[in-house]
Amino acid sequence: METYTLNNGKKIPKFGLGTFRVEAGESAYDTVKLALKIGYRHIDTAIMYGNESDIGRAIRDSGIPREEIFVTSKLAKHYDGDIVLIKEALDKSLKTLNIGYIDLMLIHWPDHDHHINDLIWKIFESYYQEGLFKSIGVSNFQIHHLENLLKKAIVRPVMNQVECHPLLSQVPLQKYLTDNDILMTSYGPLARGEVFTGKTHEVLEEIAKQYGATVAQVIVQWGLARGIVMIPKSVHEERLIENFKGQELVLAPEDIEKINQLNRGRRLYSDPDNNINFL
Ligand SMILES: NC(=O)c1ccc[n+]([C@@H]2O[C@H](COP(=O)([O-])OP(=O)(O)OC[C@H]3O[C@@H](n4cnc5c(N)ncnc54)[C@H](OP(=O)(O)O)[C@@H]3O)[C@@H](O)[C@H]2O)c1
């Protein structure tokens, strides 16, 4: 699989599988097993998704060497900055996944008190130094959250995973991240289905038709062409394959620009500045 190089020299597959709302139990196990068989080598999960155990089991049962698979997880709860509880949650994530180490651990959501973000980051840094997390990063951080974090961080975050799709292209945030040697992952690439409606769909479908591709594939490639990690979620074999094949598409620069023009700054998920958490 094609990879990007993170700012600590580690590689991350450019494309992966999202697993938010992939039900714990056989659904998560079967989906990940199937995705690995198709060729996926990057699985995105989180403590709050409740499916780490099944994902870990699918990875162990896959027969694929551990080092060939990249796993991201995320810490959502901040426990009011209680160090013992935060460490307990991180240890539990490692134990539940049971795959030795986590390739990338993210702070799932910025705390509105930046001292708590600093404190969690310090703990993340200690797990990173111990080799339990191979890389550490953040999610849903706005520029101001990162500016605060970078003042105290010893280890620079490698990643910011944020909502990003044709209706919210995140160009200014991506520029800031690039300037600071931090990669961006897009979540919600299909904008909760809004890319399949109205004017947005008309434009995307017209582009897709030119390439004999689907709208989902065009979006996957739009992100990859911008240097973004793409992690669409599906539990259906035909869609897992369809999304995976989006990696092969080559879009003309003018088509990428047409998609950029669809940006309306429209959030379909929570706004990190106005929600204390994303639930
Ligand atoms: N860091 C964060 O705060 C955060 C927040 C949200 C998500 N995420 C991560 O990002 C991943 C992706 O985001 P997401 O799951 O919210 O949204 P998404 O990937 O944009 O969309 C998933 C939805 O689209 C459907 N779908 C998938 N492929 C399709 C295709 N080719 N054609 C038509 N429909 C298709 C899926 O249905 P089926 O499953 O039925 O196919 C599912 O309902 C998550 O799974 C999670 O890992 C992170």
Side-chain angles (χ1 to χ4, degrees), residues 14-62:
K14 295 181 176 183
F15 178 82
L17 173 71
T19 66
F20 183 33
R21 298 207 177 92
V22 178
E23 226 177 285
E26 287 321 292
S27 177
Y29 178 80
D30 292 344
T31 302
V32 172
K33 264 295 247 342
L34 181 58
L36 292 170
K37 199 167 150 224
I38 291 167
Y40 286 69
R41 290 293 180 271
H42 173 178
I43 313 292
D44 184 88
T45 181
I47 295 172
M48 69 156 280
Y49 301 170
N51 55 20
E52 284 177 307
S53 158
D54 310 294
I55 290 175
R57 188 161 56 91
I59 290 171
R60 291 194 304 278
D61 291 354
S62 70

Side-chain angles (χ1 to χ4, degrees), residues 17-241:
L17 173 71
T19 66
F20 183 33
R21 298 207 177 92
V22 178
E23 226 177 285
E26 287 321 292
S27 177
Y29 178 80
D30 292 344
T31 302
V32 172
K33 264 295 247 342
L34 181 58
L36 292 170
K37 199 167 150 224
I38 291 167
Y40 286 69
R41 290 293 180 271
H42 173 178
I43 313 292
D44 184 88
T45 181
I47 295 172
M48 69 156 280
Y49 301 170
N51 55 20
E52 284 177 307
S53 158
D54 310 294
I55 290 175
R57 188 161 56 91
I59 290 171
R60 291 194 304 278
D61 291 354
S62 70
I64 298 166
R66 170 68 185 91
E67 62 278 13
E68 287 179 21
I69 303 174
F70 191 102
V71 178
T72 300
S73 192
K74 316 181 193 83
L75 173 82
K77 282 194 179 178
H78 298 171
Y79 303 98
D80 292 326
D82 185 316
I83 296 173
V84 174
L85 294 181
I86 293 167
K87 284 187 168 176
E88 265 176 29
L90 297 177
D91 291 342
K92 188 167 172 219
S93 175
L94 278 159
K95 198 168 164 211
T96 307
L97 272 163
N98 191 16
I99 47 173
Y101 57 86
I102 294 172
D103 294 275
L104 174 60
M105 182 57 100
L106 306 178
I107 302 182
H108 206 145
W109 197 259
D111 204 289
H112 287 195
D113 176 351
H114 71 82
H115 297 293
I116 294 192
N117 294 326
D118 290 344
L119 181 141
I120 297 172
W121 193 251
K122 227 178 169 24
I123 299 172
F124 272 34
E125 286 177 333
S126 68
Y127 281 67
Y128 176 71
Q129 304 298 359
E130 280 185 66
L132 296 168
F133 302 158
K134 296 297 176 193
S135 297
I136 50 178
V138 295
S139 178
N140 294 297
F141 272 47
Q142 307 274 52
I143 292 175
H144 64 95
H145 299 118
L146 276 160
E147 277 177 341
N148 272 314
L149 193 81
L150 289 172
K151 281 184 202 156
K152 296 264 173 68
I154 296 166
V155 178
R156 181 172 286 268
V158 297
M159 179 66 67
N160 189 15
Q161 182 179 126
V162 295
E163 179 178 349
C164 174
H165 43 69
L167 293 161
L168 180 69
S169 60
Q170 298 276 25
V171 169
L173 176 62
Q174 192 188 6
K175 184 180 179 320
Y176 173 85
L177 295 173
T178 305
D179 290 348
N180 284 280
D181 206 5
I182 299 168
L183 262 182
M184 190 165 105
T185 296
S186 144
Y187 75 67
L190 305 177
R192 295 202 177 215
E194 287 219 9
V195 296
F196 298 114
T197 62
K199 176 85 185 142
T200 311
H201 188 238
E202 272 174 40
V203 173
L204 291 168
E205 197 173 45
E206 198 183 304
I207 295 171
K209 268 192 193 150
Q210 283 176 56
Y211 295 90
T214 66
V215 165
Q217 289 172 331
V218 165
I219 293 171
V220 164
Q221 191 47 236
W222 166 74
L224 296 177
R226 291 180 52 205
I228 297 170
V229 179
M230 300 302 284
I231 50 164
K233 168 262 177 186
S234 181
V235 293
H236 294 106
E237 182 168 12
E238 67 284 2
R239 286 177 174 174
L240 287 168
I241 294 170

